[in-house]
Amino acid sequence: MTQVVKIEGMKCDGCVKAVTEAFENVAGVKSAQVDLAKKQATVEGNVDLAALAASLKETSYRVVTA
């Protein structure tokens, strides 16, 4: 399953790396491609939005819901 997740708080390539690593450490995620310009991530795998949001809890980034 592919999900597109909006993310707030990213400003640089370091932010992209941090979000990518956080998402890829969530159980069920096969891959995460983070796009700084679009402020979003495309996540492959069987995982829910709450788990992705929780992975960013200790950071300055957050998942934005519609």
Side-chain angles (χ1 to χ4, degrees), residues 38-57:
K38 293 182 180 178
K39 298 190 185 308
Q40 67 184 26
T42 302
V43 180
E44 293 283 341
N46 188 14
V47 63
D48 66 2
L49 188 60
L52 295 174
S55 74
L56 299 179
K57 185 176 180 181

Side-chain angles (χ1 to χ4, degrees), residues 23-41:
F23 282 0
E24 287 181 342
N25 284 321
V26 174
V29 172
K30 293 180 182 177
S31 69
Q33 300 295 320
V34 180
D35 186 320
L36 179 61
K38 293 182 180 178
K39 298 190 185 308
Q40 67 184 26

